[in-house]
Amino acid sequence: MRRRAADFRRPVRRRVPDVLWWALFSVVVLLFIYVLSKGNQVQSRPALSKRMYKHDRIMEGLNITEEMLNPNSVTRQLNDQISLAKAFVVIAKESNNLQFAWELSAQIRNSKILLSKAATRRVPLTSMESEQAIRDMALMLYQAQQLHYDSATMIMRLKAKIQTLEEQSNSVSEKSSKYGQIAAEEVPKSLYCLGVRLTTEWFRNLNLQKKLMEKRQMEMKLKDNDLYHFCVFSDNIIATSVAVNSTAINSKNPEMVVFHLVTDEINYAAMKAWFAMNDFRGVTVEVQKFEDFSWLNASYVPVLKQLQDSEIQNYYFSGNSDDGKTPIKFRNPKYLSMLNHLRFYIPEVFPALKKVVFLDDDVVVQKDLSPLFSIDLNGNVNGAVETCMETFHRYHKYLNYSHPLIREHFDPDACGWAFGMNVFDLVEWRKRNVTGIYHYWQEKNVDRTLWKLGTLPPGLLTFYGLTEPLDSFWHVLGFGYTTVDAQLVEKGAVLHFNGNSKPWLKIAIEKYKPMWEKYVDYSHPLLQKCNFH
């Protein structure tokens, strides 16, 4: 076989020694390990930095230095002493130990001066510098402990003081309630004067009696069910006048408004004289006295029967039956007044009427009330504004639910509602014998175990399931005892001064008094003579 020429032969490859390859491989591995270690260092630094930053922020926020974190720091010891000493200063003053309080305060100032100087020179306090201050403060704190200024003793003393203050507060509150009730029940001299002068005028001035006789020619209006009939039961002439006057002024058709007023025999002549000598924009006014109602007797009316009971008389009029345990407001004799209970006998008082709007005498009317007479009561007897926005005004607040009769028949969370502006369907009232229901509950409460106060609780029982809720703007309450929302004041049709602060008394809430006073003619000769202002 022939061999190729030398020029055409492949060059021979030279093999790299194995030692060199192993060296190169080792270098690469070392480089890789180096890169990995660098990466871990880079990643770990932010976490460490973050922890250190957070630690610095905490120290900055609490105004703490590294020196104060030292367990052997005299600065921290002084600060702790100062904090404790400040508490003892307050306690010493409370205990009327003013000398010790002054000495403790002086030592606090000395310690603060030391800390201030150290902070100014930016060098921590040494034990030698602070030794005397720490010893002096420790001595003062020990003295405080010897004076029984320790926390346990002070807690007991403070509890005793709180209990004393609560007893004093309860006593003041009880006296305030008592005197407020007495003030609310008083007859102002000006009102008493007006009653006397009007009574005198009635019997002296025959023209007034003739005027009333002329008005009686409009007797047909008193029974006309196409008109707007209102009733007020009151012995307060000026309050009744405001209720009538404000209704007349804000009525779109005052000639269609009829007011049926019922008073007692004492104020009968004065009430007739006042409404005979004053005109209320053509409003028809009838005045009666409840003593003329032949059906109103003890055999028919439970309240009159109760008045004949000696125990009831003692409870309401002497207040000695339970050593004064019952609050004075529950003993107010006005709650036995027939003028207060006549609201449960409206069909008997006005036998010819089908629908009536009942008004309390402590109201002001600032809207036309004629739309009330076209409201559909959906077969119910009583149209009233509910007051159950809060739990305070639900049935359980007014009634004794520990009594089985109450517990079995009435939902404790049922909505309460307000007397003072009520629309009564007298046709439904007679059909359902509502007055009989009222009699039943009054007889059951002869021992005052179902309820204690007023006519609202028996009203809630009597009209339970027979009350139609009205829009809240028709009757706004609270003007005699609290602050009322300004929007409600503006929108309200009837503003009720329920509470002790009646607008004709000196204890009236000044903010709301002008709303009532603008319906009083202070230029009237009789009001001026009786010093009404």
Side-chain angles (χ1 to χ4, degrees):
M1 186 175 186
R2 291 176 60 182
R3 301 181 65 181
R4 280 194 257 179
D7 294 338
F8 297 100
R9 291 179 187 172
R10 292 179 183 174
V12 178
R13 290 183 180 179
R14 296 180 181 179
R15 293 186 178 179
V16 179
D18 292 341
V19 175
L20 183 60
W21 282 110
W22 280 108
L24 285 172
F25 178 76
S26 300
V27 170
V28 170
V29 169
L30 288 172
L31 281 172
F32 181 72
I33 292 171
Y34 175 77
V35 170
L36 280 178
S37 64
K38 281 285 185 181
N40 287 337
Q41 286 179 7
V42 170
Q43 286 181 355
S44 64
R45 276 175 189 167
L48 180 62
S49 175
K50 189 174 181 181
R51 286 197 300 270
M52 291 175 66
Y53 174 72
K54 185 177 180 182
H55 183 264
D56 290 342
R57 287 295 301 273
I58 292 172
M59 290 176 63
E60 182 183 344
L62 295 177
N63 198 22
I64 296 174
T65 64
E66 288 289 351
E67 194 270 336
M68 291 177 69
L69 293 175
N70 188 335
N72 301 316
S73 169
V74 292
T75 300
R76 188 179 67 177
Q77 191 174 350
L78 268 177
N79 274 303
D80 290 345
Q81 284 185 330
I82 288 170
S83 298
L84 187 57
K86 284 180 178 178
F88 284 147
V89 168
V90 174
I91 296 170
K93 288 180 179 178
E94 186 71 26
S95 303
N96 206 29
N97 193 345
L98 301 182
Q99 177 63 29
F100 182 71
W102 181 85
E103 292 174 1
L104 203 51
S105 298
Q107 189 57 46
I108 291 172
R109 283 194 298 274
N110 291 339
S111 298
K112 283 186 172 181
I113 289 169
L114 271 178
L115 291 171
S116 177
K117 286 179 179 178
T120 302
R121 72 181 186 222
R122 297 180 180 275
V123 177
L125 278 173
T126 64
S127 299
M128 188 177 296
E129 287 178 299
S130 58
E131 183 180 1
Q132 188 61 42
I134 290 174
R135 285 175 62 86
D136 291 344
M137 182 66 86
L139 184 62
M140 296 295 292
L141 296 177
Y142 178 75
Q143 190 177 346
Q145 290 176 348
Q146 295 304 305
L147 291 169
H148 300 292
Y149 291 169
D150 58 282
S151 58
T153 304
M154 286 312 301
I155 287 170
M156 294 301 295
R157 290 177 64 181
L158 288 172
K159 280 185 177 179
K161 187 154 191 175
I162 289 169
Q163 187 175 357
T164 302
L165 289 172
E166 283 180 350
E167 289 173 358
Q168 290 175 356
S169 174
N170 291 337
S171 176
V172 170
S173 177
E174 187 178 342
K175 287 178 181 177
S176 175
S177 175
K178 181 177 181 179
Y179 296 143
Q181 190 70 47
I182 291 170
E185 292 171 20
E186 74 167 353
V187 178
K189 289 181 181 179
S190 54
L191 194 56
Y192 178 78
C193 166
L194 181 63
V196 171
R197 287 184 177 273
L198 283 170
T199 302
T200 303
E201 190 69 18
W202 173 257
F203 290 109
R204 186 184 64 83
N205 189 345
L206 295 177
N207 289 330
L208 284 178
Q209 298 184 28
K210 286 180 181 178
K211 260 189 175 183
L212 199 66
M213 291 298 292
E214 290 172 5
K215 288 186 176 182
R216 281 183 181 173
Q217 293 175 2
M218 297 185 292
E219 195 169 346
M220 291 300 294
K221 278 191 169 184
L222 302 178
K223 300 177 181 179
D224 188 346
N225 282 292
D226 291 328
L227 302 180
Y228 308 130
H229 294 269
F230 297 84
C231 64
V232 179
F233 308 134
S234 174
D235 57 0
N236 188 320
I237 298 163
I238 202 70
T240 305
S241 178
V242 168
V244 174
N245 194 30
S246 60
T247 304
I249 288 174
N250 292 289
S251 176
K252 293 179 181 178
N253 299 293
E255 69 282 353
M256 294 186 66
V257 174
V258 181
F259 262 92
H260 304 267
L261 311 180
V262 181
T263 188
D264 55 20
E265 192 161 15
I266 296 172
N267 294 281
Y268 181 53
M271 194 81 78
K272 285 192 296 182
W274 180 259
F275 286 97
M277 67 172 58
N278 293 288
D279 180 66
F280 296 91
R281 295 187 66 213
V283 168
T284 302
V285 180
E286 175 195 30
V287 180
Q288 301 179 79
K289 58 179 178 178
F290 72 80
E291 286 87 354
D292 287 342
F293 301 147
S294 57
W295 49 267
L296 202 61
N297 52 67
S299 62
Y300 178 61
V301 179
V303 170
L304 291 177
K305 187 193 301 182
Q306 291 168 12
L307 274 173
Q308 296 175 357
D309 184 80
S310 58
E311 183 185 344
I312 297 291
Q313 290 177 359
N314 184 56
Y315 178 83
Y316 279 99
F317 297 100
S318 70
N320 297 323
S321 60
D322 64 351
D323 299 322
K325 292 178 182 177
T326 305
I328 187 172
K329 68 178 182 178
F330 292 110
R331 298 178 173 281
N332 193 340
K334 80 171 187 177
Y335 297 121
L336 290 178
S337 165
M338 274 317 304
L339 287 175
N340 205 37
H341 285 264
L342 272 181
R343 64 192 70 193
F344 296 104
Y345 298 94
I346 291 176
E348 285 92 335
V349 178
F350 312 113
L353 299 183
K354 295 181 179 179
K355 184 173 279 190
V356 166
V357 170
F358 165 79
L359 295 176
D360 267 338
D361 62 0
D362 54 353
V363 303
V364 167
V365 177
Q366 62 174 13
K367 306 285 184 184
D368 178 39
L369 299 185
S370 57
L372 285 171
F373 292 86
S374 57
I375 289 177
D376 184 4
L377 297 183
N378 296 311
N380 288 307
V381 177
N382 173 31
V385 171
E386 292 183 332
T387 57
C388 62
M389 288 73 73
E390 303 170 11
T391 183
F392 179 83
H393 296 290
R394 296 185 184 271
Y395 267 52
H396 64 77
K397 178 63 183 178
Y398 302 98
L399 305 170
N400 177 20
Y401 272 85
S402 64
H403 197 290
L405 265 179
I406 298 296
R407 197 166 55 248
E408 290 169 13
H409 291 87
F410 303 98
D411 177 7
D413 290 322
C415 279
W417 45 266
F419 264 137
M421 196 297 297
N422 303 78
V423 184
F424 290 120
D425 184 335
L426 302 186
V427 176
E428 284 294 323
W429 185 315
R430 296 181 184 101
K431 188 189 298 184
R432 295 171 181 262
N433 189 24
V434 173
T435 303
I437 298 172
Y438 164 71
H439 284 171
Y440 171 82
W441 289 112
Q442 275 289 355
E443 293 285 2
K444 292 294 181 183
N445 194 46
V446 68
D447 55 357
R448 302 175 302 282
T449 56
L450 304 185
W451 72 87
K452 288 184 181 293
L453 174 65
T455 50
L456 181 56
L460 295 175
L461 301 182
T462 301
F463 295 101
Y464 185 72
L466 300 174
T467 298
E468 180 71 15
L470 302 180
D471 289 333
S472 59
F473 71 85
W474 282 116
H475 187 190
V476 181
L477 298 102
F479 294 89
Y481 70 92
T482 189
T483 300
V484 184
D485 184 84
Q487 291 185 343
L488 289 175
V489 176
E490 185 180 349
K491 293 180 180 178
V494 176
L495 312 182
H496 196 169
F497 287 80
N498 58 314
N500 286 338
S501 302
K502 302 300 183 188
W504 56 85
L505 298 176
K506 290 181 180 178
I507 60 172
I509 299 175
E510 291 297 326
K511 181 179 179 180
Y512 300 126
K513 195 171 182 179
M515 295 189 301
W516 183 86
E517 286 184 322
K518 71 179 181 179
Y519 296 106
V520 180
D521 181 11
Y522 287 106
S523 64
H524 195 286
L526 285 178
L527 297 188
Q528 289 188 343
K529 287 177 182 178
C530 290
N531 198 27
F532 268 92
H533 54 78

